[in-house]
Amino acid sequence: MQKYGQIAIEALIPYERNARTHSEEQIEKIANSIREFGFLNPVLVDGSNMIIAGHGRVLAAKKLGMDKVPCLRVEDLTPTQVKAYILADNKLAEDAGWDELLLAQELTSLKDEDFNIELAGFESTQLDDWFERQDKDYDRREQDNDEYNEFLDKFETKKTTDDCYTPKNIYQAVADYVADT
């Protein structure tokens, strides 16, 4: 059974064997996120108010001076499942990756809208390095694209007698072949 509600921070009990650590820097990032977006991800607790997931969010809420935090009470897990879920909740997120193209689009969009991207958890040095790398990749792709277009231009259908005539179907076959390689 699961039940949602606000619980006083002082009533919450951290899991004493929580293997996940939270640096002051990370707690500050979480606090900034809560300040900007609100407390959108509830803390998971068991029937005795022991924290199953959300230790970092609780520390950030304390830093912000909050008295209560949103919690989801989870009472239908066995003690073994609780232990396993505490580990899984932290480990599974680490295994995720990024779709670089979609990430570029999202970060660029936020940057264009003058949104503080650091509120999304990225550090300014990471972002500077990342945008610089994207600019270099873009320049390289542009150069590759120019070379590709120059190559295709050689096969463009010509209308003068002093140039080699390439029929449209041959031009398209070459263009298709180059695009596939």
Side-chain angles (χ1 to χ4, degrees):
M1 178 174 169
Q2 298 176 349
K3 183 179 175 187
Y4 179 82
Q6 295 280 327
I7 298 178
I9 290 175
E10 66 217 24
L12 297 175
I13 304 164
Y15 178 58
E16 65 183 33
R17 292 173 52 186
N18 184 28
R20 192 60 157 181
T21 60
H22 301 282
S23 68
E24 282 301 316
E25 182 181 5
Q26 186 205 25
I27 293 167
E28 182 66 30
K29 286 180 181 180
I30 297 169
N32 289 337
S33 177
I34 292 170
R35 191 180 295 114
E36 175 71 19
F37 307 115
F39 208 117
L40 300 177
N41 192 2
V43 176
L44 301 184
V45 297
D46 69 5
S48 65
N49 287 344
M50 183 192 74
I51 300 171
I52 297 172
H55 290 82
R57 293 189 296 280
V58 170
L59 293 171
K62 282 182 184 178
K63 185 176 188 84
L64 292 171
M66 296 174 69
D67 297 325
K68 294 181 177 182
V69 293
C71 293
L72 183 63
R73 187 175 307 280
V74 180
E75 296 178 321
D76 52 350
L77 297 178
T78 68
T80 301
Q81 287 177 315
V82 168
K83 287 182 195 178
Y85 183 78
I86 290 170
L87 296 173
D89 181 58
N90 289 296
K91 180 61 180 150
L92 294 175
E94 289 178 2
D95 294 340
W98 291 103
D99 180 313
E100 293 284 329
L101 180 60
L102 293 176
L103 179 61
Q105 292 169 351
E106 289 297 292
L107 290 173
T108 300
S109 173
L110 289 170
K111 186 177 175 183
D112 291 346
E113 295 173 31
D114 292 325
F115 186 82
N116 181 357
I117 303 172
E118 290 184 30
L119 291 172
F122 293 89
E123 295 176 14
S124 60
T125 54
Q126 284 177 309
L127 291 167
D128 292 343
D129 291 346
W130 192 84
F131 279 117
E132 184 178 326
R133 207 170 47 251
Q134 292 303 308
D135 288 344
K136 286 179 182 175
D137 287 348
Y138 178 80
D139 291 345
R140 183 184 45 77
R141 285 191 305 272
E142 281 295 306
Q143 181 180 355
D144 290 348
N145 195 34
D146 290 344
E147 291 171 9
Y148 171 77
N149 287 333
E150 286 176 27
F151 176 77
L152 283 181
D153 285 347
K154 293 177 186 177
F155 293 93
E156 184 99 26
T157 302
K158 309 290 190 246
K159 296 195 178 184
T160 63
T161 55
D162 57 339
D163 254 325
C164 175
Y165 173 77
T166 305
K168 285 188 185 286
N169 62 334
I170 300 297
Y171 173 81
Q172 191 58 50
V174 170
D176 291 343
Y177 174 78
V178 171
D180 289 339
T181 57

